[in-house]
Amino acid sequence: MPSRAGPSGETLAAAATLAAIQLTQGRTNEQAAVLAAFFTTLGDAIALIAAQRAALEGD
């Protein structure tokens, strides 16, 4: 069951796997690689924003 903090890690991993399968169906290996690079960059940017916010808030 989801808690106040959100879904479990296992649920998030399963959701990410299902999303990856759906996003790459019918795409070439090259297209899948571009998608992977995009989402890696997106994740890194989100992590950077979160870290900077925490630093500025003194967390």
Side-chain angles (χ1 to χ4, degrees):
M1 295 301 289
S3 68
R4 281 187 30 220
S8 69
E10 293 86 351
T11 300
L12 290 173
T17 300
L18 291 172
I21 291 166
Q22 288 295 314
L23 286 168
T24 56
Q25 274 192 329
R27 302 209 190 284
T28 65
N29 288 336
E30 291 82 8
Q31 291 170 328
V34 170
L35 281 171
F38 171 81
F39 285 109
T40 297
T41 302
L42 177 66
D44 288 347
I46 291 170
L48 177 60
I49 291 166
Q52 183 63 5
R53 285 181 180 173
L56 291 174
E57 294 171 0
D59 288 345

